[in-house]
Amino acid sequence: MDGKILARLGAVVFVAVAITATAVEMNRKEEAPEAWASSRTTQAHADPLRDELIRCQMLGEAGPRDPACLRAWAENRNRFLAPGARPAERLPDMPSAPRDNPIPQSDRTGQPALEPAAPVAPPQLDKAR
């Protein structure tokens, strides 16, 4: 067989398979997803704050003008940012990094440490350019 004929035959087969797959996918009926069987039962008491926050999210731009949403957002912020909301146990402090030489720079040279220099004004550009 000639190379061109083989390439054309391959292209025709590829297009035929693609059309068949598309037709099969289009004829497939939409199946409703099955509910997952969960060992957890539904919660007897739903969180009303969560429900209100979801409602406010659905309002979109009108949410910031709704007084109930403003109260729900304030309560949600207090839930996380209130002084008593933080855990009593803090993470352990990180140990300071070990220094190679505990002698300060000023003691090694016998001269006092340099103070930061005053800010220097940027050079003025020549206005003739």
Side-chain angles (χ1 to χ4, degrees), residues 33-41:
E34 294 181 22
W36 289 17
S38 175
S39 61
R40 287 185 1 184
T41 59

Side-chain angles (χ1 to χ4, degrees), residues 24 26 41 46 54 61 63 71 92 95 100 103 128:
V24 168
M26 289 178 70
T41 59
I54 291 172
E61 257 185 62
R71 279 193 304 275
D100 294 335
I103 300 172

Side-chain angles (χ1 to χ4, degrees), residues 9-25:
L9 182 62
V12 168
V13 169
F14 176 77
V15 169
V17 169
I19 290 173
T20 304
T22 302
V24 168
E25 185 65 30

Side-chain angles (χ1 to χ4, degrees), residues 9-101:
L9 182 62
V12 168
V13 169
F14 176 77
V15 169
V17 169
I19 290 173
T20 304
T22 302
V24 168
E25 185 65 30
M26 289 178 70
N27 288 332
R28 184 185 304 182
K29 291 184 180 181
E30 187 75 25
E31 296 176 3
E34 294 181 22
W36 289 17
S38 175
S39 61
R40 287 185 1 184
T41 59
T42 58
Q43 295 179 350
H45 60 286
D47 184 12
L49 178 61
R50 182 176 183 272
D51 295 338
E52 183 66 20
L53 290 172
I54 291 172
R55 185 188 72 82
C56 293
Q57 183 181 16
M58 296 297 211
L59 288 177
E61 257 185 62
R65 292 185 298 271
D66 185 17
C69 290
L70 294 174
R71 279 193 304 275
W73 288 327
E75 186 177 339
N76 193 41
R77 276 192 308 274
N78 287 338
R79 180 185 283 187
F80 295 102
L81 300 177
R86 295 192 176 145
E89 292 183 27
R90 302 287 297 181
L91 292 175
D93 292 331
M94 294 295 296
S96 59
R99 298 182 66 174
D100 294 335
N101 192 351

